[in-house]
Amino acid sequence: MFSIQRFLVCLTFLLALTSGGIAQSKLTAEQWREDLRYFAANMPKTHRNLFHTISREQFEGAVKRLDERIPTMADHEIIVELMRIVAMIGDGHTRLRVHRAFTSVYPVHLYVFKDGLFVQAAAPEYREAVGGRVLKIGNSNVDQALRAVSEIAWRDNEMGIKAHAPRLLVIPEVLHALRIADDLKKVQLVVEKDGRQVTLELKPTGQLQHLLEQRPTNWIDARNSVVQAPLWLRDPRNNFWFQHLTEAEAGCAQGCEKGIAYVQFNAVQDRPQAGEKPGETVEAFFKKVFEYVEVNQIDKFVLDMRLNGGGNNYLNLPLTLGMIKSRVNKRGNLFVIIGRETFSAAQNTVNELEKYTNAIFVGEPTAATPNHFGDARTVELPNSKLGIQASTLWWQDMDPRDTRKWTAPQIAAELTSADYKANVDPAMAAILKFVPGNGLAQQLTGALKSGGFAAASKAYRSFREDPAHVYLETEADVNRLGYEFLRDGKTDDAIEIFKLNVEAHPRSANTYDSLAEAYLRKGNKEEAIKYYSKALEVNPQFASSLEALRQLKQ
């Protein structure tokens, strides 16, 4: 994590603006080409595996094309094209450090809500735009602008783009280089607010707090300031804190007689001493939390990690062990809120909680892949002094076959612009109304018993169509249920469940393989051969299907 002081010290590369709004080049074409050669030579040496997403040929081709264009480009245009190449590498820790490249921003804060891109906050002179849905930025409509910046945004997945794209959209040099804006000194912003269009001309400021999520205190926010802020927004700069919510305060649907322990965990870092306020370690904090939970016999435990961008992986153990041993480690009692900022060491924390506890994940998908690259080291370019971070380690927390692009919430709870304005937290609302014992397995088992395959199929479709399950991957859960039926000797029920999985996931070799195995258990070799063959049509190298067919043919 960067302090403001370190952030400001790092701003050594400044872009000059002429009266006409076009950046002057501070380096010669040959100096930029030297930097580009240095970048191309050192990134493969520094990164743990630079070519995990793109090929060496794609990387070298992009470098060659930029090299050819450098004499015709301004400094900021070269930087943005460097960002494009870095983004192609495809991991969120590998990125160009924009705070060493750009010095100004338009004083508005944008956010991608469930219902679109909105002006979440702004400097007082742009109060008219606050709370408005963005329709157009410069020359581009909102979709075009988001698509353009997404191509230069560092990310593991789409949630990383949701987090970073709005921040790039307020950097003048980025907008100009991407041809979203014609000028470096102003841009036109069009928003829809209260049923009418509002057009404003934004001018940049040198305030850098925006990039660090530290807004000036006089900025106007879209939230209703009369109502108390929701828990997750009350102390977001604090590494960690907790509060005991009574049943009345929580407004819980059921099972909260002794209340809820709400813990906001914003950084996997010990809290430093600040003035007279003493510091505290992660270990000491969670020891205190779990002791409190045991003494007060809390009913539900909510760990809010939606703003946690990471820190030190090796500080996770006290939290994980404490959670495993805690009396709240039961399905329906333990909830973890995740989102687009949950990244790096926070993802490692999520991995451990997923593997070793009964936590239910709520909110948005995480911004990192469960197995991911990390621990970035900076490659500093010799002339421009730009810093480009490159991941040096591969964190293999989960099964090597786990290729998920994120950890998905079992209960999706995405923030809308109306939620934000009204100080409503959909994640906490979903937790408070959660009723245990109504999961997919229970619904399918009940439907199968009462109405056979048709009823189970209807229940499955209804479950999948529920907005709360929009991110939920059901293939593994349904497959597991099928094998439970097989283990209990209910082969016909297992076949019906596996049929559901084949219907829902026709491009998965595993679903066909499981159905074939169930038919084989039933003694129907013809159907077993049919579905093993279908598995191999999807994946000709699917090992278990290859072996089963070999034995059947013998």
Side-chain angles (χ1 to χ4, degrees), residues 306-362:
R306 78 186 89 179
L307 299 179
N308 195 322
N312 184 347
N313 288 327
Y314 297 102
L315 299 180
N316 286 334
L317 190 59
L319 164 59
T320 306
L321 290 178
M323 201 70 85
I324 290 170
K325 294 186 288 186
S326 175
R327 61 184 298 278
V328 296
N329 184 21
K330 301 173 186 174
R331 185 167 178 81
N333 295 89
L334 174 58
F335 299 86
V336 179
I337 303 177
I338 54 177
R340 68 187 68 180
E341 303 282 354
T342 311
F343 185 68
S344 193
Q347 178 67 55
N348 296 100
T349 311
V350 167
N351 293 342
E352 292 180 2
L353 296 174
E354 181 182 10
K355 286 195 293 185
Y356 303 125
T357 75
N358 294 298
I360 295 173
F361 294 97
V362 183

Side-chain angles (χ1 to χ4, degrees), residues 80-152:
V80 168
E81 289 310 303
L82 265 175
M83 292 174 67
R84 188 186 306 278
I85 297 173
V86 173
M88 289 169 58
I89 294 164
D91 78 78
H93 285 87
T94 298
R95 55 185 171 179
L96 186 145
R97 297 168 67 182
V98 295
H99 61 276
R100 293 179 65 173
F102 310 120
T103 61
S104 61
V105 294
Y106 292 113
V108 296
H109 183 83
L110 306 179
Y111 191 87
V112 180
F113 291 99
K114 186 178 180 181
D115 48 332
L117 180 70
F118 283 74
V119 179
Q120 192 178 44
E125 59 267 33
Y126 303 117
R127 67 175 64 240
E128 196 176 358
V130 175
R133 181 169 65 90
V134 178
L135 302 177
K136 190 175 180 182
I137 302 175
N139 304 320
S140 303
N141 65 42
V142 65
D143 292 333
Q144 293 168 334
L146 281 169
R147 189 160 52 247
V149 294
S150 71
E151 294 177 0
I152 65 170

Side-chain angles (χ1 to χ4, degrees), residues 125-412:
E125 59 267 33
Y126 303 117
R127 67 175 64 240
E128 196 176 358
V130 175
R133 181 169 65 90
V134 178
L135 302 177
K136 190 175 180 182
I137 302 175
N139 304 320
S140 303
N141 65 42
V142 65
D143 292 333
Q144 293 168 334
L146 281 169
R147 189 160 52 247
V149 294
S150 71
E151 294 177 0
I152 65 170
W154 54 99
R155 75 281 188 168
D156 277 7
N157 55 43
E158 298 96 306
M159 298 311 293
I161 293 176
K162 274 191 174 182
H164 301 307
R167 299 161 186 165
L168 294 172
L169 279 173
V170 294
I171 299 177
E173 294 90 344
V174 168
L175 298 184
H176 184 264
L178 295 176
R179 304 298 182 259
I180 294 172
D182 295 326
D183 202 313
L184 279 160
K185 288 189 172 182
K186 61 184 179 182
V187 70
Q188 192 177 77
L189 180 71
V190 181
V191 303
E192 182 182 50
K193 184 178 178 182
D194 301 328
R196 63 188 182 91
Q197 285 193 15
V198 177
T199 302
L200 297 171
E201 186 176 272
L202 305 180
K203 295 184 178 179
T205 174
Q207 292 176 326
L208 300 173
Q209 296 95 324
H210 174 87
L211 290 177
L212 288 174
E213 302 297 330
Q214 291 180 342
R215 304 173 191 160
T217 55
N218 66 334
W219 274 31
I220 311 300
D221 197 286
R223 284 193 305 104
N224 182 350
S225 58
V226 176
V227 181
Q228 188 178 27
L231 286 166
W232 72 287
L233 291 174
R234 290 184 193 173
D235 199 3
R237 308 301 298 178
N238 193 347
N239 285 6
F240 37 75
W241 60 277
F242 85 100
Q243 182 174 336
H244 179 179
L245 303 175
T246 65
E247 183 181 17
E249 291 171 326
C252 192
Q254 66 178 53
C256 296
E257 292 80 6
K258 296 184 177 67
I260 297 176
Y262 173 85
V263 178
Q264 190 172 45
F265 187 30
N266 294 324
V268 191
Q269 293 278 11
D270 294 336
R271 183 168 52 216
Q273 182 175 346
E276 296 182 0
K277 188 175 181 180
E280 188 173 19
T281 65
V282 171
E283 181 176 14
F285 170 73
F286 279 106
K287 182 176 184 292
K288 179 174 63 180
V289 168
F290 288 120
E291 286 175 353
Y292 184 91
V293 167
E294 294 304 313
V295 170
N296 291 275
Q297 298 188 336
I298 297 292
D299 298 302
K300 291 187 178 180
F301 191 108
V302 178
L303 180 68
D304 191 343
M305 297 185 63
R306 78 186 89 179
L307 299 179
N308 195 322
N312 184 347
N313 288 327
Y314 297 102
L315 299 180
N316 286 334
L317 190 59
L319 164 59
T320 306
L321 290 178
M323 201 70 85
I324 290 170
K325 294 186 288 186
S326 175
R327 61 184 298 278
V328 296
N329 184 21
K330 301 173 186 174
R331 185 167 178 81
N333 295 89
L334 174 58
F335 299 86
V336 179
I337 303 177
I338 54 177
R340 68 187 68 180
E341 303 282 354
T342 311
F343 185 68
S344 193
Q347 178 67 55
N348 296 100
T349 311
V350 167
N351 293 342
E352 292 180 2
L353 296 174
E354 181 182 10
K355 286 195 293 185
Y356 303 125
T357 75
N358 294 298
I360 295 173
F361 294 97
V362 183
E364 298 178 316
T366 59
T369 53
N371 296 320
H372 59 268
F373 290 96
D375 291 70
R377 186 185 308 155
T378 300
V379 174
E380 185 176 277
L381 306 188
N383 297 309
S384 62
K385 303 304 178 186
L386 287 174
I388 299 175
Q389 293 181 304
S391 296
T392 62
L393 293 179
W394 171 251
W395 286 93
Q396 184 76 55
D397 287 353
M398 311 299 275
D399 189 293
R401 295 163 295 185
D402 188 340
T403 58
R404 288 176 296 165
K405 61 182 179 180
W406 50 41
T407 299
Q410 286 108 318
I411 304 172

Side-chain angles (χ1 to χ4, degrees), residues 474-548:
T474 58
E475 180 184 341
D477 289 338
V478 175
N479 209 53
R480 191 178 303 113
L481 177 61
Y483 276 105
E484 287 177 9
F485 282 134
L486 274 185
R487 186 188 63 229
D488 295 339
K490 300 177 180 178
T491 308
D492 289 336
D493 286 345
I495 288 172
E496 299 306 316
I497 290 297
F498 289 137
K499 280 182 180 178
L500 278 179
N501 230 8
V502 164
E503 184 181 283
H505 302 94
R507 300 306 303 161
S508 168
N510 191 56
T511 61
Y512 293 110
D513 183 86
S514 298
L515 179 56
E517 184 178 343
Y519 274 120
L520 191 58
R521 295 269 193 100
K522 189 174 173 63
N524 190 336
K525 291 185 179 181
E526 184 178 347
E527 288 296 290
I529 290 171
K530 173 183 172 181
Y531 285 104
Y532 279 132
S533 299
K534 282 187 173 291
L536 294 177
E537 288 175 14
V538 175
N539 180 0
Q541 303 304 317
F542 202 74
S544 58
S545 292
L546 283 169
E547 177 60 20

